[in-house]
Amino acid sequence: MARANEAVLSAGTGVAAQASSKRGALISVSALLCTVTIAVNFMLGPLLPLMQSHFAVGVSAATWVLTAMSLGSGAGFVLIPRLQDIVDDRTMLLWSGVLLTAGALIPAVADSYPTLLVGSAMLGFGSAAQMLPLGFLRRHLSGSSVATAVSVLIMATGTGVVAGMVGGGLSVKYLSLSAFFYILAAAVAATTAALLAVVPPSRPASSARIGIWGTAWTSACISWSNLRWPSR
């Protein structure tokens, strides 16, 4: 039965049969992606006092960093999973990795408050790549492997939250702001390289277009929800 399921999976998605031998590697890199992208969302909070002193800005200006990240993530959570269906898994992983790496490098290199806001928005958008494993694991795994992968991703979510908060706190104590963003860029680039080395090629799952107005409205609603949530 398991072999029959893998044959159907391969015929429907264009995934090579040898993908089944990469279950452990696929689940591992998926957990790594989840941990890193979720950690990104929780790292900047502890860094706000450092940002205030580094750029000589007030509390209100510093919190705009989190606002920019929330707005970016609102759009990312709508667009990235949809784009994954229209293009393919590896292409979307590459685009997301490039976006996250650029989002970390821009404030590290330019070292100014406006570029920090731009980088934060890009990091927020790219952090929605945590949704990508739900797509490619479903396409490349079958049977009990999917349940195992979901359990590992749930644990990776908690690990990402802890890693983000602890990493942000340690960065305030031991690193400069530029050094933090350089390290973050290196971590994202290494994660992207690991994903591209492990995730097999696949065909696009859909040829439909993205509805501009519906996407914009949904992104705005999610962004508004993200902005209101901390005040509850």
Side-chain angles (χ1 to χ4, degrees):
M1 179 64 72
R3 291 181 180 178
N5 287 342
E6 289 173 4
V8 172
L9 181 69
S10 177
T13 63
V15 179
Q18 63 265 29
S20 61
S21 65
K22 294 186 176 182
R23 290 188 184 96
L26 277 171
I27 294 173
S28 297
V29 294
S30 299
L32 178 62
L33 175 63
C34 248
T35 300
V36 171
T37 49
I38 290 172
V40 167
N41 286 292
F42 288 88
M43 279 184 171
L44 294 190
L47 289 169
L48 289 183
L50 180 60
M51 294 174 185
Q52 283 182 255
S53 60
H54 184 80
F55 296 112
V57 296
V59 175
S60 178
T63 54
W64 269 101
V65 173
L66 299 182
T67 301
M69 176 170 278
S70 295
L71 292 172
S73 65
F77 272 93
V78 174
L79 283 172
I80 284 182
R82 187 71 185 104
L83 288 171
Q84 182 185 19
D85 290 336
I86 294 175
V87 288
D88 60 81
D89 298 325
R90 288 170 59 85
T91 300
M92 204 60 232
L93 288 168
L94 176 61
W95 288 358
S96 300
V98 169
L99 188 66
L100 282 166
T101 304
L105 285 177
I106 287 174
V109 174
D111 195 24
S112 67
Y113 176 72
T115 57
L116 176 63
L117 292 179
V118 172
S120 298
M122 294 173 68
L123 287 171
F125 188 94
S127 69
Q130 62 190 263
M131 304 294 292
L132 295 178
L134 298 176
F136 67 74
L137 288 174
R138 185 183 70 248
R139 281 186 274 273
H140 299 303
L141 299 181
S142 60
S144 61
S145 298
V146 177
T148 301
V150 170
S151 299
V152 172
L153 292 181
I154 291 173
M155 291 186 289
T157 300
T159 303
V161 173
V162 174
M165 298 180 72
V166 173
L170 292 176
S171 299
V172 172
K173 187 174 182 180
Y174 296 109
L175 297 175
S176 67
L177 203 56
S178 295
F180 164 78
F181 281 114
Y182 277 122
I183 293 173
L184 179 59
V188 171
T191 300
T192 303
L195 286 160
L196 294 177
V198 172
V199 177
S202 62
R203 298 171 185 163
S206 173
S207 59
R209 296 180 179 179
I210 296 177
I212 296 177
W213 295 112
T215 300
W217 174 253
T218 306
S219 300
C221 290
I222 294 177
S223 298
W224 177 249
S225 176
N226 288 343
L227 290 174
R228 289 179 58 85
W229 180 79
S231 64
R232 292 176 183 173

